Amino acid sequence: DASLRGSIVHAALGRFADTYPEELPTDCGAELLRLATEIFREYRSHPRVAAFWMQRFERFAAWFGEMEPNLRRGIVKSLSEVNGAMILDAPAGPFKLTARADRVDVGEQALMITDYKTGASLNTLAAQAKRGEAPQLALEAAIAAANGFAHVPELPVQRLQYISASGGEPPGAVAELKLDDIAAHAEQARSDLQRLVAQFDD
């Protein structure tokens, strides 16, 4: 189903970042496809996977191969599936917010946090995120501001973005959250969540 396909795509992108955290291979697209093929192999006997999923991923891998060198410009290290947490004060006791960021790119002076999507409309999602209706990236930025991500240095978040890995038309896309002040946006999301937790505690 769509959930399984998303998990496979996330696993492939995570494996790519883990294999090449600092220096990129000569052909990013071909290498991503090689890593994905290893993951897809156990599902290839399923007709839907063989007929559609691999072909869609091949298209995305070609797009990724062209885009990734640009996305990595100025990045010291790329980390995948990064676990993070922060504690919020609440009436019934401390509330622990946890997150697993799909990708955190560490630059010399700032961080970039990326969420991979395989189905959602990026423009719609980015608009919702700016309005505070899809607060995942904002809360991840709040965790980063609290130095709550493992193995991630305490640096300001300079960019929040979604990457579509649909493999359709277009095969991939990037949607950045255009915000005047990411730190303020993250603090607002943290405050909103803290207020929601307090309502549940009542």
Side-chain angles (χ1 to χ4, degrees):
D1 60 10
S3 176
L4 174 61
R5 179 173 170 270
S7 296
I8 294 172
V9 171
H10 277 72
L13 288 162
R15 190 173 295 183
F16 180 89
D18 291 342
T19 306
Y20 302 101
E22 298 173 3
E23 297 293 329
L24 289 173
T26 303
D27 190 334
C28 295
E31 185 59 15
L32 176 63
L33 186 59
R34 182 188 71 80
L35 295 170
T37 300
E38 295 176 358
I39 300 171
F40 271 111
R41 186 170 291 124
E42 63 181 288
Y43 302 101
R44 288 295 293 272
S45 61
H46 192 288
R48 179 170 181 172
V49 173
F52 298 105
W53 289 9
M54 273 303 298
Q55 282 75 8
R56 291 177 73 93
F57 194 88
E58 287 171 5
R59 291 195 292 270
F60 168 71
W63 176 89
F64 180 86
E66 296 179 0
M67 290 297 299
E68 184 66 0
N70 295 325
L71 293 174
R72 288 280 193 102
R73 189 172 291 121
I75 298 301
V76 176
K77 190 172 187 178
S78 187
L79 305 171
S80 71
E81 300 292 323
V82 188
N83 290 315
M86 69 183 298
I87 302 298
L88 304 178
D89 291 330
F95 178 91
K96 186 177 184 180
L97 169 68
T98 63
R100 179 177 294 161
D102 288 344
R103 171 173 171 170
V104 178
D105 290 311
V106 182
E108 292 284 357
Q109 300 179 333
L111 305 175
M112 176 171 66
I113 301 177
T114 300
D115 189 29
Y116 293 120
K117 295 298 181 185
T118 54
S121 167
L122 292 197
N123 290 335
T124 299
L125 188 58
Q128 291 174 332
K130 287 187 68 174
R131 295 194 300 266
E133 297 169 4
Q136 178 181 342
L137 281 175
L139 289 172
E140 289 177 0
I143 291 174
N147 197 26
F149 278 114
H151 312 299
V152 174
E154 190 173 2
L155 293 169
V157 177
Q158 189 176 59
R159 183 181 173 109
L160 298 173
Q161 68 181 16
Y162 298 104
I163 290 181
S164 168
S166 72
E169 291 295 338
V174 179
E176 179 185 359
L177 267 62
K178 301 290 187 179
L179 300 166
D180 294 331
D181 189 333
I182 289 178
H185 184 72
E187 173 57 24
Q188 183 63 56
R190 185 208 62 77
S191 177
D192 288 346
L193 177 61
Q194 191 166 23
R195 187 163 51 251
L196 180 63
V197 173
Q199 291 174 349
F200 274 92
D201 280 351
D202 183 354

